[in-house]
Amino acid sequence: MTLTLTVSDDVRTLAPGFTHVAIEAHSLVNGPSSEASSELLDEAARRLALRLNGRAPHEDPHMAAWRAAYTAFGSKPSRTRNSAEALAKRALSDAGLPRVNLLVDLYNAVSVAHLIPVGGEDLDRIEGGMRLIRATGEERFVTVAGGEETVEHPDAGEVVWCDDAGVTCRRWNWRQGPRTRLTEETTSGIFLLESLAPMPVAEVTAAAAELAELLARFSPGADITVRAPETSA
């Protein structure tokens, strides 16, 4: 069954230039990071360096737009960076990008190369549809702290992704919860690429096509559908 994704009017008002492209994939094959996925991450870091041409990630116009959006819903963007900026900083550091598993490596590579926040969720762990909303502050976000499961609540007005069971990602695309993350047992996933103006819709669409091609290459025979971009007016 196709996953339903909705964006609330409050979020559309906050960020009228918001666009997201979803890729739904079934019969995926995941596993540990490999030499091939590691090479993709290294190449993404090189592409990022060329794109920035000596600038810091936050100086990129797209990252500046995300910082403005975070500020608009009450978050401090220098402390809680959007996922693309956080990955970009790691890519340019001596530590480099993390190696997580094949599927996560693929979407992280696309995120870094294009400077677009990209996330992946295990479809079998999503309950109901997914919604991008401004939180009331009562929603549950189940995470792990100090090795133990704990429940947090988003700030009132914070932008979050959630399903029927609770928040799946806090501060738009800052921190994903462990419940729906992609593991080595994942066989079905939803991948979400998110952009803000001034990034052209064509660029996020091209990034989605690149990720779909990588998924097909690493999971031959997978059923992959790239949805049309949805843009806030």
Side-chain angles (χ1 to χ4, degrees), residues 7-20 65 69 72 172 195-198 201 230-233:
V7 179
S8 74
D9 290 341
D10 285 346
V11 174
R12 294 182 188 277
T13 299
L14 178 77
F18 174 58
T19 298
H20 70 271
W172 212 318
S195 68
L196 295 172
V201 174
E230 295 190 20
T231 302
S232 298

Side-chain angles (χ1 to χ4, degrees), residues 40-184:
L40 282 173
L41 291 168
D42 289 340
E43 176 60 20
R46 289 190 288 269
R47 291 167 65 184
L48 172 69
L50 288 172
R51 182 188 191 95
L52 291 174
N53 192 27
R55 294 174 299 166
H58 71 267
E59 294 175 301
D60 177 85
H62 191 217
M63 296 297 93
W66 276 105
R67 283 194 164 215
Y70 271 48
T71 299
F73 67 75
S75 182
K76 294 182 178 180
S78 59
R79 188 175 65 186
T80 54
R81 296 177 175 88
N82 75 81
S83 64
E85 183 182 334
L87 277 176
K89 283 182 66 67
R90 292 195 63 171
L92 298 174
S93 72
D94 291 339
L97 288 165
R99 274 57 173 167
V100 181
N101 59 54
L102 284 177
L103 292 178
V104 175
D105 290 354
L106 298 188
Y107 78 69
N108 279 349
V110 171
S111 176
V112 168
H114 291 270
L115 264 185
I116 294 173
V118 184
E121 308 280 359
D122 189 320
L123 272 174
D124 293 329
R125 296 171 182 263
I126 296 292
E127 298 189 21
M130 289 183 63
R131 302 175 296 282
L132 187 65
I133 63 169
R134 299 196 68 176
T136 65
E138 298 299 317
E139 296 86 355
R140 289 168 51 88
F141 178 72
V142 180
T143 186
V144 176
E148 295 185 1
E149 186 176 286
T150 184
V151 176
E152 298 177 356
H153 298 278
D155 299 328
E158 181 182 325
V159 177
V160 297
W161 279 103
C162 60
D163 66 0
D164 290 351
V167 174
T168 59
C169 194
R170 285 198 59 188
R171 295 195 176 101
W172 212 318
N173 46 47
W174 167 63
R175 187 172 62 166
Q176 182 186 34
R179 172 173 60 89
T180 58
R181 67 176 48 152
L182 302 177
T183 69
E184 292 182 21

